[in-house]
Amino acid sequence: MATDNDAVEIETSDDNEFSSGRGLGGRKYRPVFAHDQDRAVLEMSSIDTGASSTSFPTNNNLKKIKVGMQPNMTSEGIEESLPNHGGVNGSQSESKLELFGFDSLVNILGLKSMAGDQIPAPTSPRDGDDVPINVGRPKTTNVKSGTMMGVFVPCLQNILGIIYYIRFSWIVGMAGIGESLLLVAFCGSCTFLTTISLSAIATNGAMKGGGPYYLIGRSLGPEVGVSIGLCFFLGNAVAGALYVLGAVETFLNAVPKAGLFRDPVTFVNINGTSVAQESITSPSLHDLQIYGIIVTIILCFIVFGGVKMINRVAPAFLIPVLFSLFCIFIGIFLARENRPDEGITGLSLKSFKDNWSPEYQRTNNAGIPDPDGRIYWNFNALVGLFFPAVTGIMAGSNRSASLKDTQRSIPVGTLAATLTTSALYLVSVLFFGALATREKLLTDRLLTATVAWPFPAIIYIGIILSTLGAALQSLTGAPRLLAAIANDDILPVLNYFKVADGGEPHIATLFTAFLCIGCVVIGNLDLITPTVTMFYLLCYGGVNLSCFLLDLLDAPSWRPRWKFHHWSLSLLGASLCIVIMFLISWSFTVVSLALATLIYYYVSIKGKAGDWGDGFKSAYFQLALRSLRSLGANQVHPKNWYPIPLIFCRPWGKLPENVPCHPKLADFANCVKKKGRGMSIFVSILDGDYQECAEDAKAACRALSTYIDYKKCEGVAEIVVAPTMSDGFRGIVQTMGLGNLKPNIVVMRYPEIWRRENLTEIPSTFVGIINDCIVANKAVVIVKGLDEWPNEYQRQYGTIDLYWIVRDGGLMLLLSQLLLTKESFESSKIQVFCIAEEDSDAEELKADVKKFLYDLRMQAEVIVISMKSWDAQAEQQDESVEAFSGARERIASYLAGMKENAEKDGTPLMADGKPVIVNEQQVEKFLFTTLKLNSSILKYSRMAAVVLVSLPPPPLNHPAYFYMEYMDLLVENVPRLLMVRGYRRDVVTLFT
């Protein structure tokens, strides 16, 4: 592997015109691929046209690798057809062209007339991977299959099964020709529409191993993909056991002497009478188990041989099957009345008319008509019986990792197999309906063997080989499907089944064979067979749903090469799958859906997160866009108002390393959302230049996002780089959000350390943020005592006290109600304190507030507090004279210092350049008001769990330092305080 500073030199024998430089001004172009992915250059070497030979200078930083030639050419052939430019004595000057230089355009546009035949460009590697390039003989890789052997033959082998041989003529006799055609068309339409959807998704980009799982997972997400993929794997593994048992049972019926145990004999009534009875022998269960295990082991050894071995063996299973079908049709054309057996009429128009209508009736377990039979057949039951005869369309896509060209082979091969078998079934319905009487169709279980030319044994061979071929394809596709799920590294429990790229899934094959042998040992799979069919239908429905979702959303990345598709066809295919599932058995449908749901939740809990750009995320995005457009930019009605807090993560101090935000901010953010619903935006600001701090901002954003996820808070993280904190917040408050999804509440921590840390920067930044929020019409919530804020496990038993001083649109009332929805505060009660002057009617005010709260559906105790108006002597009567006097002295000292530093006119300036216009009377009024409010809080709310108080706006033309002094008097000795300022609109309503 090349290091970051290494380049890679490519040495190759070039074509005549390209290598010699004739027609290119005597220059030779050699691509050089650097390991640094941010730079791609092409090295251009000049060749002395007069020299007889050219030598390439070596460089210690260059590593020679070889470029692969065309597969159909040998190195000797290339050496003979191309001139020799190698030599010892030669001069060469080198220069470099950028990515979009002349040589790049030659390679990109494929201008062969200018540069000769080009070497195929390697596929794009993943980030951090080197590009393997070979020269000389191509590196031996695993054998890749084409359309015929890779898709068409496996699908044909899986679709053509035992049902056609032993049940299809019986179905025609039971349902009649008309409804049999409808049955074939109904089931065939489901698989045909699924094939169309499969073709569209498979041609929308490169496809790795896993077939339908890969398609569904990348379209509907890893959880849905893994759940359906594992169900489909189980379906394939158990289906292999079904095929093996079918082959063994047919063999033992054809050669009864091969049985090792005694065969049971069953007598069935003919025509409903006990006079005429027919003996039906069935193989012993132990014989089925022994022979089934042996056959499974043999097939497992074939699968271990790899794709090459499977491709060699597959024709040996398929050709006799096709020959048996040929013999059946020859026998149909040669049949005459009562030949080769009674009830055979030959191709007769009378039989066609007699067998056109259905004749549903009761039968015994062997399928023989019996008025006392336990099974009553109708169209729904026949759907469940016949549908497995059209499954198997995923056999080719299951082997997608072994295909040369998935985007061509899967659509063509699967569609060809589907249409071929559907046409065969439709023609067979017409022929069987015109061949024999209805009684013969219903009583002869092997009518195909009866009419086969030249003897019935061919049909037994066809049945055995068709089922063995289907079992082989199931044992081939299922391990590759399981290995593909394991390679995606979603479920750690599946790590044992991982395989390297291009490797054979041996462990997965052993596990599949173990499951197959286990089902073979059970012997009776009547209860498992419907579930297998459900798994197939579940997979088909997932493919259709994936195509429907991708086609309906029509994202820019949706560009399938297969153009014959539409979302309505995919929706119809998914609906047919659901309908057929319930037609077959609603109970097995519920079982299969429950199993898929359990796997889904298991993956959601235990699985690793995988972002594959699935269709659900695209649907969420489209839904969000439409919802945003429907909301518009109009004001939201109070009934529909939701708090969208902007959590300002400024710590106003130092945090421990690797802690991006105060640990209690997320807890508080959850408290201002009802039951945790809603979005929070966590914002932090980095001081500096954006170009220099961009990577630091990305790292900080990732750390903040991790913190939010850890705290289980529904929110997003944003990091903004700005020259100063004030500039950054001013940009955030103007641009953050879209339409009505902009944040409406700014939450931040009160800077309790401002006095000992920085007397200038923190006050100006803090007050500037409050003023920006007022201008931008954003509500403000400032949390004092954040370190003591309870988490979700700390229950509070005090009261929630509201000091409702100014009209804020009901935000303070709403916040108190939101706090009650949390487990921490659910035991608390709300108290509303109304501040009134001494000469006002306190009882009337209390009654008005109670009526207002009642109309708002809020339960709270109302308390009216009378407060004296401010006058010059008020501070003399206050018990906190020391705090008042100290604040007034510090303010006077700070103002004097500003005047000393001011200009000659003596007018001090604030941080924003505005003049300070303030007198001592205004300062004392603000100090007295905040001090009296603090005294009232300490008097009435010492036992409160949390106190909410109206946030006073920063007075105009007062320095930020003055405001911080006012705020310190307000919050002093109050352990947990929320200062709330609403905005110019209501957030609660009286109306329903």
Side-chain angles (χ1 to χ4, degrees):
M1 302 293 289
T3 62
D4 291 344
N5 297 324
D6 293 340
V8 181
E9 182 183 19
I10 302 175
E11 183 182 34
T12 180
S13 299
D14 301 316
D15 293 341
N16 295 335
E17 185 178 0
F18 183 62
S19 61
S20 64
R22 294 190 296 270
L24 290 178
R27 293 182 183 272
K28 176 182 176 183
Y29 293 86
R30 296 185 292 112
V32 175
F33 297 86
H35 187 72
D36 187 359
Q37 297 169 359
D38 294 334
R39 179 176 176 84
V41 296
L42 293 175
E43 188 175 8
M44 180 179 69
S45 304
S46 299
I47 301 176
D48 186 3
T49 56
S52 59
S53 61
T54 303
S55 64
F56 294 83
T58 60
N59 192 318
N60 292 334
N61 292 330
L62 296 179
K63 295 186 178 180
K64 293 185 179 181
I65 57 177
K66 297 186 176 182
V67 178
M69 58 187 177
Q70 297 178 0
N72 57 352
M73 298 183 65
T74 62
S75 58
E76 293 81 7
I78 293 180
E79 292 173 358
E80 293 175 1
S81 61
L82 300 180
N84 182 15
H85 294 288
V88 179
N89 300 321
S91 61
Q92 176 179 334
S93 62
E94 297 183 356
S95 62
K96 291 187 177 180
L97 290 178
E98 293 298 329
L99 176 61
F100 294 104
F102 171 76
D103 205 31
S104 293
L105 293 176
V106 169
N107 287 331
I108 294 171
L109 300 178
L111 302 179
K112 295 186 179 181
S113 60
M114 297 180 63
D117 294 332
Q118 301 298 306
I119 299 169
T123 57
S124 300
R126 293 174 294 180
D127 292 343
D129 291 352
D130 290 326
V131 182
I133 310 173
N134 299 322
V135 178
R137 296 185 180 275
K139 182 182 178 181
T140 31
T141 57
N142 291 332
V143 179
K144 297 288 186 178
S145 305
T147 303
M148 177 62 70
M149 298 305 300
V151 180
F152 180 76
V153 170
C155 289
L156 202 63
Q157 283 185 317
N158 260 28
I159 296 173
L160 280 178
I162 192 173
I163 291 179
Y164 177 80
Y165 290 99
I166 68 174
R167 278 303 205 188
F168 197 65
S169 59
W170 182 90
I171 291 174
V172 174
M174 184 66 69
I177 298 175
E179 292 199 9
S180 296
L181 292 174
L182 179 62
L183 175 67
V184 173
F186 180 66
C187 297
S189 298
C190 178
T191 54
F192 176 76
L193 293 174
T194 304
T195 303
I196 296 297
S197 301
L198 175 68
S199 303
I201 307 177
T203 56
N204 188 48
M207 180 178 174
K208 296 182 180 179
Y213 154 73
Y214 184 85
L215 301 179
I216 296 173
R218 267 60 179 181
S219 302
L220 301 182
E223 294 85 1
V224 179
V226 171
S227 58
I228 295 181
L230 287 178
C231 289
F232 192 57
F233 160 74
L234 292 176
N236 274 277
V238 180
L242 289 174
Y243 296 137
V244 168
L245 287 176
V248 172
E249 185 174 356
T250 304
F251 170 74
L252 293 176
N253 283 330
V255 188
K257 294 183 179 180
L260 303 177
F261 297 89
R262 190 172 185 180
D263 299 337
V265 180
T266 303
F267 293 95
V268 298
N269 299 333
I270 301 178
N271 297 329
T273 63
S274 59
V275 178
Q277 290 185 334
E278 179 183 358
S279 62
I280 298 178
T281 59
S282 58
S284 170
L285 175 61
H286 300 298
D287 287 335
L288 292 176
Q289 293 170 340
I290 294 174
Y291 280 102
I293 293 173
I294 295 174
V295 171
T296 304
I297 294 175
I298 294 174
L299 294 178
C300 187
F301 275 112
I302 297 176
V303 174
F304 264 103
V307 177
K308 187 176 181 180
M309 176 68 71
I310 296 170
N311 289 343
R312 288 180 177 177
V313 175
F317 289 104
L318 182 62
I319 292 176
V321 173
L322 298 179
F323 180 71
S324 66
L325 293 176
F326 174 76
C327 294
I328 290 174
F329 283 98
I330 292 297
I332 290 175
F333 285 110
L334 296 179
R336 295 293 180 267
E337 187 173 358
N338 293 329
R339 287 190 304 165
D341 199 1
E342 293 185 3
I344 302 295
T345 62
L347 295 178
S348 167
L349 183 60
K350 182 179 181 301
S351 299
F352 187 90
K353 292 180 179 178
D354 293 340
N355 295 329
W356 176 261
S357 59
E359 192 173 317
Y360 296 117
Q361 54 189 301
R362 292 186 178 276
T363 67
N364 55 25
N365 292 334
I368 306 300
D370 186 355
D372 299 327
R374 294 185 302 172
I375 305 174
Y376 178 77
W377 293 93
N378 52 23
F379 185 82
N380 295 353
L382 291 182
V383 169
L385 176 64
F386 175 72
F387 190 82
V390 297
T391 58
I393 59 174
M394 299 295 180
S397 60
N398 284 344
R399 302 166 58 178
S400 55
S402 304
L403 298 177
K404 293 179 182 177
D405 186 1
T406 56
Q407 297 194 32
R408 180 182 181 275
S409 297
I410 290 179
V412 175
T414 308
L415 194 61
T418 303
L419 294 178
T420 300
T421 51
S422 297
L424 173 66
Y425 291 148
L426 292 173
V427 172
S428 299
V429 168
L430 301 177
F431 282 170
F432 287 149
L435 177 65
T437 62
R438 189 181 299 271
E439 183 181 356
K440 184 65 175 177
L441 292 173
L442 293 176
T443 56
D444 193 344
R445 301 179 64 189
L446 277 172
L447 182 64
T448 54
T450 302
V451 301
W453 177 88
F455 41 80
I458 294 179
I459 303 306
Y460 287 103
I461 297 175
I463 294 174
I464 294 173
L465 293 181
S466 67
T467 50
L468 289 180
L472 178 65
Q473 299 303 331
S474 295
L475 292 177
T476 302
R480 284 160 173 77
L481 178 60
L482 183 60
I485 299 175
N487 283 343
D488 279 334
D489 203 20
I490 299 297
L491 283 179
V493 72
L494 300 179
N495 288 341
Y496 300 103
F497 304 110
K498 287 184 178 180
V499 294
D501 291 340
E504 290 292 332
H506 296 308
I507 299 180
T509 302
L510 286 176
F511 181 69
T512 305
F514 175 78
L515 290 179
C516 187
I517 290 175
C519 294
V520 167
V521 170
I522 295 174
N524 184 5
L525 298 177
D526 291 340
L527 296 178
I528 303 177
T529 304
T531 307
V532 174
T533 306
M534 296 302 169
F535 289 156
Y536 278 102
L537 283 167
L538 198 62
C539 180
Y540 297 168
V543 171
N544 282 300
L545 184 61
S546 302
C547 186
F548 162 73
L549 192 61
L550 294 173
D551 207 5
L552 185 65
L553 297 174
D554 201 15
S557 61
W558 176 246
R559 301 184 304 275
R561 297 180 184 273
W562 181 263
K563 302 300 181 183
F564 305 100
H565 65 90
H566 193 265
W567 63 265
S568 59
L569 297 178
S570 301
L571 180 61
L572 178 60
S575 303
L576 281 178
C577 291
I578 300 298
V579 169
I580 292 175
M581 289 176 71
F582 281 98
L583 285 180
I584 294 175
S585 173
W586 68 268
S587 57
F588 281 103
T589 300
V590 172
V591 169
S592 58
L593 291 176
L595 179 60
T597 304
L598 288 176
I599 298 176
Y600 175 89
Y601 280 109
Y602 179 78
V603 176
S604 301
I605 297 172
K606 298 292 185 180
K608 297 180 181 179
D611 188 6
W612 295 337
D614 56 85
F616 281 141
K617 289 185 174 60
S618 181
Y620 298 152
F621 180 75
Q622 293 284 351
L623 183 61
L625 288 181
R626 294 188 180 185
S627 301
L628 188 61
R629 288 197 299 267
S630 64
L631 285 175
N634 299 324
Q635 289 188 354
V636 179
H637 193 275
K639 286 193 299 183
N640 303 325
W641 189 87
Y642 282 86
I644 305 177
L646 177 70
I647 312 297
F648 187 53
C649 298
R650 182 67 172 176
W652 307 115
K654 293 183 179 180
L655 290 174
E657 190 177 358
N658 299 326
V659 178
C661 182
H662 194 286
K664 293 297 183 69
L665 267 178
D667 295 330
F668 180 77
N670 282 328
C671 288
V672 298
K673 295 182 294 186
K674 189 173 183 179
K675 297 181 180 178
R677 301 192 189 104
M679 180 179 66
S680 300
I681 304 176
F682 289 76
V683 174
S684 187
I685 301 174
L686 291 182
D687 297 336
D689 182 74
Y690 176 69
Q691 293 184 353
E692 296 177 357
C693 301
E695 293 301 323
D696 294 338
K698 293 178 182 178
C701 187
R702 288 192 295 268
L704 188 55
S705 299
T706 304
Y707 160 78
I708 295 171
D709 294 338
Y710 169 74
K711 299 296 289 185
K712 298 179 180 179
C713 181
E714 292 185 358
V716 295
E718 294 290 343
I719 303 295
V720 176
V721 180
T724 64
M725 185 70 62
S726 299
D727 293 339
F729 185 83
R730 194 167 290 122
I732 289 171
V733 80
Q734 293 180 74
T735 59
M736 188 67 68
L738 292 172
N740 275 323
L741 290 183
K742 290 184 177 180
N744 46 33
I745 300 178
V746 176
V747 178
M748 60 179 171
R749 182 188 184 190
Y750 179 73
E752 302 174 48
I753 62 169
W754 72 274
R755 195 184 301 279
R756 63 177 180 269
E757 289 287 337
N758 194 321
L759 292 179
T760 304
E761 181 182 354
I762 292 181
S764 61
T765 303
F766 180 74
V767 175
I769 289 175
I770 296 176
N771 285 325
D772 290 339
C773 292
I774 295 174
V775 173
N777 196 26
K778 307 287 185 186
V780 182
V781 176
I782 299 174
V783 187
K784 192 265 182 182
L786 188 62
D787 294 335
E788 290 79 27
W789 192 263
N791 58 32
E792 57 182 334
Y793 305 108
Q794 295 174 331
R795 189 175 295 274
Q796 305 297 308
Y797 294 98
T799 58
I800 300 176
D801 292 351
L802 280 65
Y803 286 82
W804 197 13
I805 301 174
V806 297
R807 185 176 183 273
D808 60 355
L811 179 60
M812 191 184 298
L813 294 172
L814 184 62
L815 287 178
S816 64
Q817 294 296 319
L818 293 176
L819 289 176
L820 288 181
T821 62
K822 303 301 173 184
E823 293 184 4
S824 303
F825 295 95
E826 64 181 1
S827 300
S828 303
K829 295 181 179 180
I830 298 177
Q831 294 184 147
V832 177
F833 293 89
C834 299
I835 309 298
E837 294 184 2
E838 284 184 332
D839 54 353
S840 62
D841 190 349
E843 292 300 324
E844 183 180 358
L845 175 61
K846 183 175 182 180
D848 291 341
V849 174
K850 280 189 173 182
K851 178 64 169 57
F852 181 69
L853 295 177
Y854 177 80
D855 292 337
L856 288 176
R857 292 91 60 201
M858 296 181 180
Q859 294 182 354
E861 182 182 356
V862 179
I863 302 173
V864 178
I865 300 177
S866 297
M867 184 179 294
K868 293 182 181 180
S869 300
W870 177 86
D871 54 45
Q873 304 299 323
E875 70 276 8
Q876 300 296 333
Q877 303 169 3
D878 194 271
E879 57 184 10
S880 302
V881 63
E882 293 184 3
F884 181 87
S885 301
R888 185 170 57 179
E889 291 175 0
R890 287 191 296 270
I891 289 176
S893 175
Y894 185 85
L895 185 60
M898 291 184 66
K899 289 181 179 180
E900 291 180 1
N901 299 328
E903 299 179 357
K904 294 180 180 180
D905 57 3
T907 303
L909 300 178
M910 292 188 295
D912 56 0
K914 295 180 181 180
V916 175
I917 304 175
V918 65
N919 55 49
E920 293 184 3
Q921 189 175 11
Q922 285 180 308
V923 173
E924 290 182 358
K925 182 177 181 180
F926 278 102
L927 290 176
F928 174 76
T929 303
T930 54
L931 186 61
K932 289 296 294 183
L933 185 57
N934 176 262
S935 300
S936 300
I937 293 174
L938 294 178
K939 180 179 180 181
Y940 296 101
S941 302
R942 286 189 178 274
M943 303 303 295
V946 61
V947 177
L948 285 78
V949 66
S950 297
L951 174 70
L956 295 176
N957 302 320
H958 283 216
Y961 177 84
F962 290 13
Y963 185 73
M964 297 305 297
E965 289 286 356
Y966 309 151
M967 297 296 292
D968 268 4
L969 281 182
L970 177 63
V971 304
E972 188 176 10
N973 295 325
V974 182
R976 199 178 297 153
L977 181 69
L978 300 182
M979 291 168 279
V980 181
R981 176 172 179 81
Y983 55 115
R984 297 184 296 271
R985 56 171 308 174
D986 291 332
V987 297
V988 293
T989 178
L990 302 176
F991 305 101
T992 301

